[in-house]
Amino acid sequence: MEFAELIKTPRVDNVVLHRPFYPAVEGTLCLTGHHLILSSRQDNTEELWLLHSNIDAIDKRFVGSLGTIIIKCKDFRIIQLDIPGMEECLNIASSIEALSTLDSITLMYPFFYRPMFEVIEDGWHSFLPEQEFELYSSATSEWRLSYVNKDFAVCASYPPIVTVPKSIDDEALRKVATFRHGGRFPVLSYYHKKNGMVIMRSGQPLTGTNGRRCKEDEKLINATLRAGKRGYIIDTRSLNVAQQARAKGGGFEQEAHYPQWRRIHKSIERYHILQESLIKLVEACNDQTHNMDRWLSKLEASNWLTHIKEILTAACLAAQCIDREGASILIHGTEGTDSTLQVTSLAQIILEPRSRTIRGFEALIEREWLQAGHPFQQRCAQSAYCNTKQKWEAPVFLLFLDCVWQILRQFPCSFEFNENFLIMLFEHAYASQFGTFLGNNESERCKLKLQQKTMSLWSWVNQPGELSQFTNPLFEANNLVIWPSVAPQSLPLWEGI
Amino acid sequence: MEHIRTPKVENVRLVDRVSPKKAALGTLYLTATHVIFVENSPDTRKETWILHSQISTIEKQATTATGCPLLIRCKNFQIIQLIIPQERDYHDVYISLIRLARPVKYEELYCFSFNPMLDKEEREQGWVLVDLSEEYQRMGLPNHYWQLSDVNRDYRVCDSYPTELYVPKSATAHIIVGSSKFRSRRRFPVLSYYYKDNHASICRSSQPLSGFSARCLEDEQMLQAIRKANPGSDFVYVVDTRPKLNAMANRAAGKGYENEDNYSNIKFQFIGIENIHVMRNSLQKMLEVCELKSPSMSDFLWGLENSGWLRHIKAIMDAGIFIAKAVSEEGASVLVHCSDGWDRTAQVCSVASLLLDPHYRTLKGFMVLIEKDWISFGHKFNHRYGNLDGDPKEISPVIDQFIECVWQLMEQFPCAFEFNERFLIHIQHHIYSCQFGNFLCNSQKERRELKIQERTYSLWAHLWKNRADYLNPLFRADHSQTQGTLHLPTAPCNFMYKFWSGMYNRFEKGMQPRQSVTDYLMAVKEETQQLEEELEALEERLEKIQKVQLNCTKVKSKQSEPSKHSGFSISDNSIANTPQDYSGNMKSLPSRSPSQGDEDSALILTQDNLKSSDPDLSANSDQESGVEDLSCRSPSGGEHAPSEDSGKDRDSDEAVFLTA
């Protein structure tokens, strides 16, 4: 398919661009296969380059022959284009609409993007699981890398290489995979060097209503505990929801079969509830009426900060188990690809000083989000303005970034990166010239040959020139565990977003 | 002294607000000025000092097995819960505190017994640090349009105004006296701020006694004179800061507002700021929200909204923004009044001045601003902040709101203010503490009669002496955005106004950000300065050495030179590259601030001590506090918190599982 077919009018003159808090700009609008470009053709003026994939929704309006297109972006920007001529306006609008909703991933911009910079370090190879494993292996010999999933046959959403207890062989892993949702058998997420405790994550056990058991699963989980030690299983659903899941073949670990483990339910919302929360929040933020009371009640009604509080509380609890109780933990929800990852990654930020550095945080995202199979493609396809609600839409990653920001605000000197870094990650997760956040899991990324065909975001970010805008000048390595406060008074709204 | 029934009670428990299970055992002392609690544990002996004048309410709570709990709420938003074992002691302490917290004579206040060991001369110098006649000179007064009037000499015309007042040159004594008779409490229109650039001014007064139809020729002439004093504009804005309904209700009592028909060339404007009673209730509601033990997010937001506090703050800001715009952009003079012209008028005038004039955004300028718009123009500090026992209906957080407005502006313009958040918090503290004489009484007249300046000390001198603690490291006086008028975004966004947990939850350390950017930057700045000085000294030395070497021609000395040089660079690098000891660094800061600490600010001092004795960043206490936060702040975590006895917990969990 040629993009030219979709572009009905490639160029319109005398278009006026309105953006909130900026003066209006008049210039020429050009449409290309991937961008919408507005240039005033004067020197020293900024050009607007907007990726079609960043467009969330568009509205058209006509007053006489003057058409107006309002473009709402996934990064919450709203821009308005005044286009002279009804026909041009309609053509532009329908072209944008078509171009912003391409269904084939291989037509997306990352597959066409050619970097203007020299690649010093290929980001696709920056954070290999083997390297990450080496960081632990000096401290412990109880874990090994398993290649059981190398052709994605055991678990479609897991990477080819995972870390598992040494005493469990691949055959047992295959059996355990059949007992866990989506084949997501328990794997190592984090090793706490201070006391050797670990965070593992998995999908829910498929106990069903008749209380199925799996000996290998029990063995695997117990293999992670030292003699006489106890562990905690953190279920990110409420007990009620977990019980209901049994009717659909899911369920939770019964304590009788896992006598060394205690189960804790920490409810974190998921899916469309989060999406609606985001929609309400953005709506409240864009409301220009001057009424203070309505703002606060809208903020409250959005429940966004409630979700933040829930997630942070669960993460703090996990970190507390590890560091204060000296107990290992296993975290799962239903699928183990959303709230589970929020909790495991935030707990690591609290516990592990390395994850508060730029490279460490990148490694964390690579490991706990990309390789762990957070379905970015599904979750980030649309944002707050879209009318067609898909049930797998959810700002899970944005919530995670917001939580990181909350901790950053409370410990402004303990992070190597700054707010801009988090915003940059958010923007690229939703629309990017890089291939990093494409696809839903490693298996899809392999099939798309992203490593060969697209650039990695990390290749760009980790250049010294780019890094400077993301570094926090106040950073002083803080080797301690940081304990954020989760009281509502301590959690303001993140204005940067 | 005669009010203290029992000076010392042992085995008292101080309950930790965040985790009520933990309580510190210690001894409670009652002195003439303070309540002091000293912990028993020998390694800390932590002391908590509370000034009697800070005590807002004392509440007896239901007796429990462990003793009788006493809840003390302070005006600086600290809350203290004590458990006293013996019923009799409990009663005695309660009765004593009730009396001590409500002094009836000014002489009982702390400032008359407080002695910072300064000699007479230093005290006098302290009182002239902030000089209002100097301030009017800075504005460019007197000039062709404005003159100093002596009409209020000996407080003959208005007893709540100061003696030195600036009025338009064309306003004769006859006009002033006539106008004063037509205004509530004779507070006639006078100058508050003069904007040099375009001759526009901000004037203030009380409401006119217009009733339904009354007029006063002199008052109309007074406004005419104000207009004439500004040749750049042919009208004057008259801003009534009350809601229209309240102003109309006042007409029935023979008061009211200016009728546009009677005054030539005025533009009349209502700005609905609520009265002191509404504000008092609003603060009360907000504090109730802050006190909640472990609120959910919606409880908190709902309560915050319901209190209306941020809405009131926004109303005050909006009024200030309106006036600043009228003065700087339209070049029009503004007359501001409310009912009596000492609460809302003071708030609005000072916010507008702060927006207009960068001088007021400096340390010294801010003191001047409070001295001018609040102290000299007769804001009733004694009544509003309950320094002496009085009518509780007169109490209202008027200046607290102004201080919060300043904080909100600081959040918006982090580089525009020379001072930091701590400065505001300490001023708020001392408005209630009565440790210094500045905020005593209701007017200049009363203060002169009490001979305050001869018998007490000035807060401004104290703050100025310790100014290093109050500096904002981000302050950029030369930045284009911070010069001249501050321009808030044209489209006002509601999320500009935030909850100030630094003020209202300031004693709950766990809720505050654990690392202070301000302190950190100040430390870095100081260190840079030190290093630069060191570098300078070393360079000087190097120069000397080189001179010596030029004189000696021996090869040997040449060899020694590079080695010295490298030695120098190594030492320099090692200082620059060694990461500062984190906790050490943070600890050193509070220890720097008590250097302020003669004995003077006893409470502030103890706070700082608290800070340093509880090193926020050292492993133990920090971790502990984090854990506390978790177990008691997460409502659902309580039942399953692993810190509880795990055997028992397991049972309950199994029970759940069995019933399922």
Side-chain angles (χ1 to χ4, degrees):
Chain A
M1 184 181 66
E2 287 291 318
F3 290 116
E5 291 167 20
L6 296 174
I7 302 170
K8 293 177 181 158
T9 306
R11 198 178 131 171
V12 191
D13 287 327
N14 301 324
V15 174
V16 183
L17 165 73
H18 300 277
R19 285 172 293 181
F21 307 113
Y22 287 98
V25 178
E26 188 182 331
T28 304
L29 180 75
C30 297
L31 286 188
T32 71
H34 295 104
H35 281 97
L36 177 154
I37 305 159
L38 189 114
S39 163
S40 62
R41 294 217 194 144
Q42 281 155 9
D43 296 335
N44 306 327
T45 49
E46 195 195 349
E47 290 181 350
L48 173 81
W49 286 68
L50 187 69
L51 266 175
H52 293 315
S53 55
N54 193 356
I55 294 171
D56 204 21
I58 59 172
D59 288 336
K60 318 184 265 285
R61 261 203 325 249
F62 294 98
V63 181
S65 69
L66 181 78
T68 298
I69 300 180
I70 295 167
I71 299 178
K72 296 176 176 176
C73 302
K74 289 176 192 166
D75 56 11
F76 310 136
R77 265 184 300 175
I78 295 184
I79 60 172
Q80 183 186 336
L81 297 169
D82 292 344
I83 299 170
M86 172 126 46
E87 199 190 339
E88 281 89 346
C89 185
L90 282 172
N91 284 343
I92 295 274
S94 66
S95 309
I96 294 176
E97 209 149 347
L99 287 168
S100 62
T101 52
L102 296 174
D103 25 284
S104 169
I105 296 181
T106 49
L107 290 175
M108 304 276 269
Y109 187 50
F111 288 90
F112 297 83
Y113 173 71
R114 291 293 159 261
M116 310 276 277
F117 56 88
E118 197 191 338
V119 178
I120 305 165
E121 177 197 349
D122 186 356
W124 289 118
H125 305 298
S126 291
F127 307 102
L128 297 175
E130 290 91 342
Q131 287 169 8
E132 295 291 313
F133 180 70
E134 269 170 32
L135 294 173
Y136 305 132
S137 54
S138 59
T140 174
S141 55
E142 292 160 25
W143 299 85
R144 68 179 180 100
L145 287 178
S146 164
Y147 299 86
V148 65
N149 197 34
K150 65 177 181 292
D151 46 7
F152 305 105
V154 177
C155 170
S157 60
Y158 268 171
I161 309 170
V162 290
T163 313
V164 295
K166 202 163 211 169
S167 55
I168 305 295
D169 59 21
D170 285 357
E171 201 43 49
L173 291 178
R174 284 197 188 91
K175 283 206 180 114
V176 176
T178 61
F179 181 65
R180 290 278 169 176
H181 191 114
R184 295 175 69 90
F185 53 89
V187 294
L188 180 76
S189 160
Y190 170 67
Y191 180 84
H192 196 49
K193 279 189 187 153
K194 191 171 129 192
N195 57 9
M197 294 301 128
V198 295
I199 301 179
M200 288 182 298
R201 54 179 155 74
S202 68
Q204 66 177 345
L206 302 173
T207 55
T209 38
N210 50 7
R212 237 181 94 204
R213 288 178 66 173
C214 173
K215 284 271 183 262
E216 286 79 7
D217 188 68
E218 289 159 23
K219 195 176 154 213
L220 190 158
I221 292 179
N222 281 334
T224 63
L225 291 182
R226 299 202 182 132
K229 282 277 189 183
R230 301 173 64 86
Y232 291 92
I233 297 173
I234 298 182
D235 193 324
T236 62
R237 303 162 294 181
S238 67
L239 182 61
N240 245 336
V241 175
Q243 281 166 349
Q244 282 162 14
R246 292 198 294 198
K248 293 180 198 153
F252 51 88
E253 294 83 357
Q254 309 210 341
E255 303 225 327
H257 304 154
Y258 300 85
Q260 283 176 285
W261 294 81
R262 285 238 317 99
R263 212 177 57 250
I264 302 172
H265 289 275
K266 273 263 153 245
S267 167
I268 295 176
E269 284 299 347
R270 54 204 74 221
Y271 312 130
H272 64 278
I273 295 177
L274 298 181
Q275 185 70 10
E276 271 159 30
S277 167
L278 178 69
I279 291 171
K280 279 187 194 153
L281 176 74
V282 172
E283 202 177 89
C285 288
N286 286 333
D287 185 7
Q288 296 286 330
T289 51
H290 302 186
N291 191 326
M292 196 70 219
D293 284 356
R294 275 189 45 213
W295 155 244
L296 280 174
S297 57
K298 278 189 165 176
L299 179 62
E300 194 241 302
S302 82
N303 274 329
W304 183 260
L305 292 173
T306 310
H307 300 316
I308 299 275
K309 185 172 175 328
E310 278 171 3
I311 297 167
L312 274 175
T313 310
C316 291
L317 181 79
Q320 187 187 346
C321 292
I322 294 276
D323 192 69
R324 308 298 292 168
E325 298 280 313
S328 289
I329 49 174
L330 167 70
I331 302 175
H332 68 75
T334 307
E335 290 150 328
T337 56
D338 295 292
S339 51
T340 306
L341 303 182
Q342 289 172 333
V343 175
T344 57
S345 48
L346 283 169
Q348 292 182 44
I349 284 182
I350 293 168
L351 292 168
E352 162 82 303
R354 178 169 165 263
S355 63
R356 294 173 225 140
T357 64
I358 290 186
R359 282 199 83 90
F361 192 68
E362 288 169 0
L364 180 78
I365 288 181
E366 185 71 31
R367 198 172 66 231
E368 288 301 304
W369 291 87
L370 294 164
Q371 296 187 10
H374 175 66
F376 277 97
Q377 191 82 35
Q378 287 181 354
R379 299 284 182 261
C380 302
Q382 299 293 343
S383 169
Y385 299 116
C386 192
N387 305 321
T388 56
K389 278 180 204 143
Q390 306 277 12
K391 85 176 203 314
W392 48 78
E393 280 302 324
V396 177
F397 187 62
L398 175 60
L399 272 167
F400 160 70
L401 292 176
D402 198 336
C403 291
V404 177
W405 180 82
Q406 302 284 359
I407 305 176
L408 175 87
R409 204 191 68 91
Q410 294 186 26
F411 296 88
C413 307
S414 300
F415 287 81
E416 194 190 358
F417 50 86
N418 59 18
E419 181 180 356
N420 293 340
F421 187 64
L422 299 175
I423 295 176
M424 182 275 294
L425 287 173
F426 157 68
E427 287 171 353
H428 282 282
Y430 279 83
S432 171
Q433 65 268 45
F434 302 104
T436 299
F437 291 108
L438 289 183
N440 288 318
N441 48 49
E442 283 299 299
S443 131
E444 284 188 30
R445 282 182 207 111
C446 262
K447 278 184 205 131
L448 290 167
K449 298 204 170 55
L450 288 182
Q451 297 211 7
Q452 292 83 44
K453 292 188 172 170
T454 71
M455 281 298 294
S456 163
L457 173 65
W458 313 131
S459 309
W460 172 71
V461 171
N462 286 336
Q463 302 174 95
E466 297 299 331
L467 273 182
S468 65
Q469 54 176 317
F470 301 125
T471 28
N472 176 5
L474 303 176
F475 176 60
E476 285 277 351
N478 177 358
N479 287 320
L480 299 169
V481 176
I482 52 179
W483 295 108
S485 159
V486 294
Q489 285 95 324
S490 321
L491 304 176
L493 184 70
W494 186 11
E495 287 173 48
I497 286 216
Chain B
M1 276 300 168
E2 69 271 27
H3 309 303
I4 301 171
R5 293 187 169 204
T6 169
K8 181 177 168 188
V9 186
E10 279 176 0
N11 294 325
V12 175
R13 251 181 264 269
L14 177 71
V15 180
D16 190 322
R17 283 255 308 135
V18 182
S19 54
K21 277 184 196 159
K22 278 206 308 187
L25 199 66
T27 309
L28 185 75
Y29 298 92
L30 296 188
T31 72
T33 54
H34 286 89
V35 183
I36 306 164
F37 179 82
V38 183
E39 273 182 30
N40 281 351
S41 64
D43 47 331
T44 53
R45 305 235 14 120
K46 201 169 100 178
E47 293 175 17
T48 309
W49 291 56
I50 300 158
L51 264 172
H52 295 323
S53 51
Q54 286 287 5
I55 295 175
S56 165
T57 60
I58 309 154
E59 196 182 308
K60 273 179 154 181
Q61 292 180 318
T63 310
T64 61
T66 46
C68 319
L70 198 65
L71 190 71
I72 303 176
R73 286 195 184 82
C74 297
K75 294 169 183 171
N76 57 7
F77 312 116
Q78 187 172 17
I79 298 172
I80 291 211
Q81 195 178 8
L82 297 168
I83 298 179
I84 298 168
Q86 295 297 323
E87 180 100 38
R88 226 193 57 204
D89 291 337
Y90 173 58
H91 189 68
D92 283 348
V93 168
Y94 178 74
I95 296 290
S96 313
L97 282 181
I98 288 269
R99 176 61 189 79
L100 290 167
R102 312 241 173 290
V104 287
K105 290 199 307 277
Y106 280 117
E107 280 71 14
E108 290 177 38
L109 291 174
Y110 184 38
C111 58
F112 290 99
S113 57
F114 168 65
N115 185 358
M117 313 282 182
L118 295 177
D119 55 32
K120 185 162 169 274
E121 200 179 318
E122 281 177 292
R123 190 184 63 203
E124 280 166 5
Q125 272 174 355
W127 281 110
V128 295
L129 180 76
V130 168
D131 181 5
L132 284 187
S133 52
E134 218 170 75
E135 167 62 12
Y136 286 112
Q137 265 173 32
R138 191 193 64 85
M139 287 185 208
L141 300 174
N143 66 5
H144 189 56
Y145 305 106
W146 295 90
Q147 64 181 8
L148 184 65
S149 163
D150 64 348
V151 69
N152 202 31
R153 198 173 55 224
D154 302 328
Y155 310 100
R156 277 181 306 190
V157 176
C158 170
D159 59 3
S160 60
Y161 265 171
T163 49
E164 287 193 6
L165 288 167
Y166 277 86
V167 293
K169 226 168 196 172
S170 56
T172 60
H174 172 73
I175 293 178
I176 295 172
V177 173
S179 166
S180 76
K181 286 180 180 153
F182 190 63
R183 295 270 168 183
S184 268
R185 304 190 192 255
R186 312 191 105 207
R187 291 170 69 92
F188 56 91
V190 292
L191 182 88
S192 163
Y193 178 71
Y194 175 74
Y195 193 60
K196 246 187 294 191
D197 300 11
N198 61 8
H199 306 297
S201 59
I202 302 175
C203 297
R204 54 185 289 173
S205 70
S206 60
Q207 63 186 340
L209 304 175
S210 52
F212 289 101
S213 59
R215 296 182 58 166
C216 169
L217 190 64
E218 288 88 352
D219 194 58
E220 287 159 28
Q221 284 170 336
M222 188 74 195
L223 263 74
Q224 189 67 14
I226 292 172
R227 190 194 64 71
K228 276 198 221 141
N230 175 14
S233 173
D234 53 8
F235 67 90
V236 176
Y237 274 113
V238 176
V239 173
D240 189 327
T241 56
R242 296 168 293 183
K244 190 172 181 185
L245 208 64
N246 299 17
M248 286 173 53
N250 263 303
R251 288 208 299 193
K255 298 163 188 171
Y257 52 91
E258 290 83 355
N259 183 340
E260 268 184 324
D261 299 340
N262 297 342
Y263 293 83
S264 50
N265 306 322
I266 68 163
K267 285 192 183 173
F268 190 83
Q269 179 83 34
F270 282 113
I271 292 179
I273 302 175
E274 298 289 348
N275 62 26
I276 56 167
H277 312 295
V278 175
M279 299 304 189
R280 180 178 57 244
N281 293 335
S282 170
L283 178 68
Q284 189 54 41
K285 278 187 193 157
M286 186 176 71
L287 291 179
E288 276 164 23
V289 175
C290 296
E291 266 184 56
L292 290 177
K293 276 281 155 57
S294 48
S296 74
M297 205 72 211
S298 1
D299 286 346
F300 175 70
L301 287 173
W302 189 83
L304 186 61
E305 182 205 327
N306 215 30
S307 76
W309 181 257
L310 288 175
R311 188 186 61 205
H312 299 314
I313 295 291
K314 184 169 185 288
I316 297 165
M317 291 288 285
D318 284 347
I321 293 166
F322 174 84
I323 293 166
K325 270 201 178 138
V327 168
S328 68
E329 285 169 27
E330 292 182 64
S333 292
V334 185
L335 171 67
V336 187
H337 69 74
C338 45
S339 297
D340 291 318
W342 52 40
D343 293 319
R344 286 167 274 198
T345 303
Q347 287 175 333
V348 169
C349 286
S350 43
V351 169
S353 309
L354 199 71
L355 287 169
L356 285 169
D357 196 330
H359 178 66
Y360 296 128
R361 304 193 286 262
T362 63
L363 271 172
K364 191 84 165 274
F366 191 70
M367 301 178 190
V368 169
L369 184 66
I370 291 188
E371 186 75 29
K372 172 170 73 78
D373 276 334
W374 296 83
I375 299 175
S376 85
F377 279 115
H379 176 64
K380 300 201 292 174
F381 281 94
N382 179 31
H383 286 165
R384 293 292 173 263
Y385 312 116
N387 295 341
L388 294 186
D389 194 21
D391 182 1
K393 283 214 171 67
E394 283 280 325
I395 293 175
S396 185
V398 182
I399 201 166
D400 303 60
Q401 286 184 315
F402 166 64
I403 291 174
E404 175 161 347
C405 285
V406 180
W407 178 81
Q408 301 280 5
L409 279 172
M410 276 163 63
E411 287 286 289
Q412 295 288 309
F413 300 95
C415 305
F417 291 84
E418 194 192 7
F419 46 86
N420 57 25
E421 182 181 0
R422 191 182 299 147
F423 184 61
L424 298 180
I425 290 179
H426 283 193
I427 289 180
Q428 193 271 352
H429 172 83
H430 283 296
I431 284 169
Y432 291 94
S433 77
C434 299
Q435 187 175 338
F436 298 93
N438 302 60
F439 305 112
L440 249 48
C441 307
N442 292 322
S443 67
Q444 196 185 59
K445 183 168 176 249
E446 287 181 31
R447 276 189 293 274
R448 294 235 166 125
E449 282 163 4
L450 262 178
K451 297 196 174 29
I452 291 289
Q453 299 213 355
E454 285 144 57
R455 299 165 67 189
T456 70
Y457 294 85
S458 167
L459 169 68
W460 305 136
H462 171 75
L463 293 176
W464 186 247
K465 200 174 86 194
N466 303 309
R467 59 187 173 275
D469 292 335
Y470 304 120
L471 289 177
N472 170 13
L474 297 173
F475 178 54
R476 296 283 171 279
D478 47 355
H479 203 277
S480 67
Q481 276 189 331
T482 59
Q483 277 175 334
T485 312
L486 289 182
H487 293 286
L488 287 149
T490 39
C493 307
N494 288 318
F495 44 83
M496 268 170 39
Y497 298 96
K498 291 178 277 195
F499 173 71
W500 188 8
S501 68
M503 175 65 102
Y504 304 107
N505 281 109
R506 88 170 108 124
F507 289 94
E508 274 142 66
K509 287 272 188 286
M511 284 185 197
Q512 306 304 328
R514 303 299 173 81
Q515 298 173 325
S516 157
V517 176
T518 312
D519 286 349
Y520 183 75
L521 286 178
M522 284 316 277
V524 168
K525 218 173 160 183
E526 209 169 88
E527 204 194 18
T528 316
Q529 207 180 338
Q530 270 176 15
L531 284 175
E532 270 167 14
E533 277 166 19
E534 206 174 311
L535 184 71
E536 218 169 278
L538 285 170
E539 268 172 359
E540 256 172 47
R541 233 180 79 194
L542 193 67
E543 222 167 273
K544 269 186 204 162
I545 291 169
Q546 276 169 344
K547 266 183 200 164
V548 173
Q549 280 169 353
L550 282 179
N551 293 341
C552 323
T553 45
K554 279 180 191 169
V555 188
K556 201 177 156 192
S557 71
K558 261 186 193 167
Q559 281 175 336
S560 75
E561 196 236 323
S563 75
K564 199 160 247 165
H565 200 92
S566 67
F568 155 71
S569 70
I570 283 168
S571 72
D572 189 42
N573 276 342
S574 69
I575 296 173
N577 289 344
T578 311
Q580 290 168 336
D581 175 27
Y582 208 16
S583 46
N585 176 24
M586 302 307 282
K587 256 188 247 172
S588 76
L589 287 159
S591 73
R592 193 159 52 82
S593 46
S595 67
Q596 71 186 256
D598 324 302
E599 279 169 14
D600 41 15
S601 67
L603 196 114
I604 300 268
L605 189 71
T606 43
Q607 280 167 28
D608 284 336
N609 280 343
L610 284 184
K611 224 200 297 182
S612 58
S613 69
D614 152 50
D616 281 350
L617 290 156
S618 81
N620 289 329
S621 71
D622 193 36
Q623 289 176 342
E624 254 170 44
S625 66
V627 174
E628 286 154 22
D629 277 350
L630 276 173
S631 47
C632 67
R633 292 267 154 204
S634 52
S636 56
E639 309 144 28
H640 293 289
S643 54
E644 289 187 39
D645 178 69
S646 56
K648 185 182 130 204
D649 232 9
R650 205 173 93 84
D651 290 344
S652 69
D653 193 84
E654 269 183 351
V656 169
F657 153 70
L658 285 171
T659 51

